[in-house]
Amino acid sequence: MYRPAIMEESKTCSIGYCTINVDSSFCPRTKVGGYAFWITTDVCTIKGYGRFREICLDPHEAEIKGLINAIQAVKKYSLSPKALVVNCDNKVVRDIVSNNGVNKKYHKVEKILREMLSDFPIFYAKHIRGHSQVVSARNFCNDWCDKMGRNAWKQNHRKIEITWKQQLLP
């Protein structure tokens, strides 16, 4: 995979904002879940989806695990944003990102997520109204994540792709 020269010099790419759109899907009968994320930065776009390796307690835990996977992708590509914005339609995830109290049954995954978020100087969550007919970029990404997350757990697919922005290429 080609990485722009800015990545080769410092091993990390310092960028402005990093926006993570994330959604998860969950089957209450089998407790199997899937996730999808669409990450946009100044230098690249990362889209990914997959099925969770372990079963989930409920849809809220699936959403938390989905965000953990998205942040892992940001770290995998050595991106170091000044601010991390999380767009999601789940209140539990927004409460964790906003540092509000959360149910004790999510303690294990909440701890992992909080540790990952501590690597970013600024992070906050924005609400997206899920399954609405509103036409906007955030809703388009949420609908894509919803569809791909559902397909991921049904068909057991996993994929991450990155697209570097043209202005950085030599």
Side-chain angles (χ1 to χ4, degrees), residues 13 17-18 77 88 96 104-105 166 168-169:
C13 182
Y17 280 88
C18 176
Y77 291 104
C88 68
I96 292 173
K104 297 283 188 232
K105 71 179 178 180
Q166 291 296 321
L168 294 175
L169 300 176

Side-chain angles (χ1 to χ4, degrees), residues 84-149:
L84 183 73
V85 181
V86 177
N87 291 331
C88 68
D89 59 4
N90 185 277
K91 185 175 178 351
V92 173
V93 171
R94 288 193 313 273
D95 284 347
I96 292 173
V97 173
S98 302
N99 221 5
N100 295 340
V102 180
N103 192 317
K104 297 283 188 232
K105 71 179 178 180
Y106 307 120
H107 176 71
K108 182 181 169 187
V109 290
E110 178 186 359
K111 183 178 176 186
I112 294 167
L113 180 56
R114 285 192 195 278
E115 285 174 12
M116 294 178 89
L117 288 171
S118 69
D119 294 340
F120 302 100
I122 300 170
F123 55 87
Y124 57 93
K126 285 186 175 179
H127 177 256
I128 294 180
R129 190 173 197 154
H131 310 285
S132 69
Q133 301 303 317
V134 177
V135 179
S136 71
R138 286 194 292 171
N139 283 88
F140 178 83
C141 290
N142 189 64
D143 291 344
W144 181 88
C145 289
D146 188 52
K147 182 177 106 179
M148 298 310 288

Side-chain angles (χ1 to χ4, degrees), residues 39-100:
I39 302 168
T40 305
T41 71
D42 301 340
V43 296
C44 65
T45 299
I46 306 169
K47 294 190 275 186
Y49 56 87
R51 183 178 180 170
F52 297 118
R53 292 187 180 115
E54 299 175 1
I55 62 169
C56 300
L57 296 172
D58 58 22
H60 302 298
E61 186 183 53
E63 294 276 353
I64 298 166
K65 287 181 176 181
L67 181 55
I68 289 170
N69 279 284
I71 293 173
Q72 193 64 35
V74 170
K75 292 182 176 199
K76 175 182 178 181
Y77 291 104
S78 303
L79 301 175
S80 180
K82 294 176 184 161
L84 183 73
V85 181
V86 177
N87 291 331
C88 68
D89 59 4
N90 185 277
K91 185 175 178 351
V92 173
V93 171
R94 288 193 313 273
D95 284 347
I96 292 173
V97 173
S98 302
N99 221 5
N100 295 340

